[in-house]
Amino acid sequence: MQKKSITLTDNRNGNTYTYPVLEATRGPDVVDFRTLFKDTGLFAYDPGYTSTASCSSAITFIDGAKGELRYRGIPIETLAKEHSYLETCFLLLNERLPNADELQNFDLELRHRAFLHEGLRSLFAAFPDNAHPMATLSAAVTALASFYQEHLDMNNKAEYHEMAHRIIAKMPTIAAFAYRHSLGIPCIQPDIDLSFTENFLTMIRAYPGGKMHLGPHGHETIREVEVRALDTIFTLHADHEQNASTTVVRNVASTGAHPYVAIASGIAALWGRAHGGANESVIAQLEMIGSVENVDAFIKRAKDPDDDFRLMGFGHRVYKNFDPRAQVLKTLQDELKEELGLNSRLMEIAAKIEEIALNDDYFVSRHLYPNIDFYTGIILTALKIPKNMFTPIFVIGRTVGWITQWIEFKKDPESKIARPRQRYIGD
Ligand code: CMC
């Protein structure tokens, strides 16, 4: 069978050039333009990479038109409903779900690796009070690289998996430390008896010494429903193919820098409002809108081309019909409304925005639908997680995705240093 290709004609000189089309197992095939410059002296111009595939990957698949998201071939809905976040981590790293023994060993290993080195602990004191936890988190993950400087042998799976397990295990602890430092509360190390997600909630909420709030009926406990909700949020954030922060992680990987520094760069990229920072902005925006009566005025501002106000939690570069993660979360939100005591005022405002936006020509014609960040804030608020921890929670969930992408980049013989070119328009 003849291989697929495309032929371009250069109208400047009539030359023709043929480029191979590389097939994808799902989704669009790609044109292999790697020799474009050598052949034609032209660069491909694509700011924001809207038409550029930067790598081949077998980790995550998104069909933006169908609203489909799969990790290692498994639909996100199945993972969110039937599997835990740790199973999802194992899946991403090992290309298959674990059996019971493997899951237990993985869980135990992560529990053992969750504590922070005492030296790293003192780093937090260098940050000012009220430091945003994302700034502290990114710096602490960079600092982590200085504690684990050994050369990584990419032919030794046990070695790079240990590196991956360590960062996944420590991220919730670092995030909790960053948060507690921002409040001036003594930090607490993880409890080996607690699961990944329960441990994180405990490190956020517990009093120094690890005990929970004391009420008339004794110490408050973390409820199973809360753990389930947060675990699902972690699963939904675990990976999302070549988004901005993952691209940053791969680009840093391409220079040969330490993997934890690559992750720290990913954290920095995620912080922005157009990316992971949107979850914090959604709740801030709902609070600013204040009541259902004010929604119309804000929708008007969002549609005004002369106003840079955007509806946070709306729109996505890839999803053009719906964000499947948002649908899972909306269902979870409805299921847990009573059990979690979700904030009804914010939910009413959110429901009104959603109703208008889903029917308004401005949003419909631009394919602007609620994304994952539109729903996470309301659930996280009910879990007593403060706003400035929303994006760190995204980080905790996404760490496995970043490190899996880092490994894939390192193992890919076609990987090269990321070095785009430019169209020079200066003097
Ligand atoms: N509110 C109002 N108008 C919007 C919005 C919005 N949230 N998003 C896009 N538009 C308009 C935009 O003004 C443009 O209009 P026009 O064609 O008239 O100039 C059109 O829609 C296309 O927007 P774009 O900025 O070219 O689209 P993009 O694919 O480059 O950006 C986005 C995608 C997510 C950055 C953008 O939709 C946005 O800023 N959304 C709000 C922030 C947000 O919720 N981010 C979380 C993304 S999901 C979680 C994650 O992956 O991190």
Side-chain angles (χ1 to χ4, degrees):
M1 199 177 71
Q2 204 188 347
K3 289 217 164 133
K4 288 191 203 165
S5 62
I6 66 162
T7 299
L8 301 182
T9 303
D10 185 341
N11 288 335
R12 298 170 306 173
N13 51 26
N15 290 346
T16 57
Y17 306 95
T18 299
Y19 293 96
V21 169
L22 310 180
E23 287 189 28
T25 48
R26 277 168 183 258
D29 296 338
V30 301
V31 189
D32 182 353
F33 272 140
R34 280 175 290 184
T35 60
L36 181 73
F37 176 58
K38 203 170 96 204
D39 297 342
T40 66
L42 296 169
F43 295 138
Y45 182 64
D46 185 19
Y49 313 124
T50 53
S51 295
T52 297
S54 58
C55 60
S56 300
S57 181
I59 302 170
T60 290
F61 173 74
I62 301 175
D63 184 326
K66 287 196 199 140
E68 189 181 340
L69 168 63
R70 291 167 184 262
Y71 302 156
R72 300 288 188 194
I74 304 182
I76 192 66
E77 294 80 2
T78 308
L79 291 168
K81 214 170 169 184
E82 297 168 22
H83 299 280
S84 67
Y85 175 65
L86 286 198
E87 286 176 275
T88 304
C89 290
F90 188 99
L91 167 73
L92 285 165
L93 286 166
N94 298 283
E95 303 172 34
R96 61 174 177 80
L97 285 162
N99 62 33
D101 282 349
E102 286 168 332
L103 181 60
Q104 193 186 26
N105 289 338
F106 185 55
D107 181 5
L108 286 179
E109 186 187 342
L110 293 198
R111 288 180 195 220
H112 281 107
R113 292 189 184 282
F115 68 90
L116 294 191
H117 190 287
E118 280 300 305
L120 184 63
R121 196 175 160 144
S122 54
L123 173 100
F124 292 85
F127 287 86
D129 294 346
N130 299 328
H132 194 288
M134 282 297 281
T136 320
L137 188 54
S138 174
V141 172
T142 298
L144 196 64
S146 67
F147 289 83
Y148 302 98
Q149 292 187 47
E150 67 273 24
H151 177 72
L152 262 185
D153 179 359
M154 290 312 291
N155 294 315
N156 184 342
K157 189 172 171 188
E159 207 169 294
Y160 61 78
H161 269 210
E162 181 182 316
M163 173 279 296
H165 297 174
R166 184 189 297 126
I167 189 74
I168 296 166
K170 292 193 193 308
M171 197 62 88
T173 314
I174 301 176
F177 272 44
Y179 167 63
R180 292 177 80 98
H181 174 76
S182 74
L183 294 181
I185 311 173
C187 299
I188 51 172
Q189 291 281 7
D191 181 341
I192 195 109
D193 287 332
L194 299 180
S195 71
F196 183 91
T197 302
E198 192 178 358
N199 219 339
F200 174 69
L201 281 172
T202 306
M203 288 188 286
I204 290 287
R205 287 198 207 155
Y207 275 74
K211 284 202 172 146
M212 301 297 284
H213 183 82
L214 185 60
H217 308 294
H219 289 286
E220 204 181 69
T221 49
I222 288 173
R223 291 179 298 149
E224 201 274 322
V225 59
E226 296 180 298
V227 176
R228 182 156 63 89
L230 186 57
D231 206 75
T232 306
I233 288 177
F234 286 150
T235 298
L236 296 175
H237 286 94
D239 194 50
H240 213 230
E241 51 116 308
Q242 308 313 318
N243 55 82
S245 55
T246 301
T247 300
V248 167
V249 169
R250 280 181 174 259
N251 284 357
V252 177
S254 80
T255 70
H258 191 288
Y260 297 164
V261 175
I263 301 286
S265 310
I267 294 173
L270 190 80
W271 193 4
R273 270 160 41 109
H275 195 5
N279 57 14
E280 184 177 343
S281 303
V282 167
I283 290 292
Q285 201 168 78
L286 293 178
E287 286 169 354
M288 181 177 79
I289 294 172
S291 76
V292 172
E293 292 73 54
N294 298 333
V295 168
D296 285 333
F298 282 93
I299 295 275
K300 204 168 154 210
R301 282 190 63 192
K303 291 162 43 172
D304 181 353
D306 298 324
D307 190 333
D308 63 5
F309 177 86
R310 282 195 168 197
L311 268 192
M312 288 293 118
F314 270 80
H316 199 276
R317 172 64 63 77
V318 182
Y319 296 120
K320 295 301 173 196
N321 277 318
F322 64 91
D323 177 342
R325 304 166 300 172
Q327 291 217 326
V328 172
L329 277 186
K330 188 169 163 45
T331 310
L332 186 73
Q333 183 183 284
D334 294 341
E335 276 170 19
L336 302 181
K337 200 172 156 199
E338 305 301 325
E339 272 185 277
L340 283 178
L342 299 181
N343 183 324
S344 56
R345 186 177 61 90
L346 292 185
M347 276 182 79
E348 269 172 34
I349 302 170
K352 176 82 177 168
I353 293 176
E354 198 184 342
E355 183 198 318
I356 297 180
L358 292 179
N359 294 297
D360 186 299
D361 185 55
Y362 174 93
F363 294 92
V364 175
S365 64
R366 287 169 179 75
H367 306 284
L368 302 172
Y369 298 89
N371 58 48
I372 185 169
D373 293 323
F374 191 68
Y375 300 104
T376 38
I378 288 176
I379 299 177
L380 293 178
T381 304
L383 299 179
K384 302 195 191 82
I385 291 173
K387 274 204 296 288
N388 65 359
M389 281 303 286
F390 292 0
T391 317
I393 280 176
F394 196 149
V395 169
I396 296 171
R398 182 57 56 84
T399 298
V400 66
W402 286 329
I403 209 68
T404 307
Q405 299 268 354
W406 187 94
I407 293 168
E408 186 178 71
F409 179 90
K410 287 288 170 186
K411 304 289 285 178
D412 183 350
E414 299 199 333
S415 292
K416 287 172 88 75
I417 186 167
R419 195 356 179 144
R421 303 304 294 265
Q422 64 174 7
R423 167 183 171 230
Y424 178 67
I425 54 167
D427 288 339

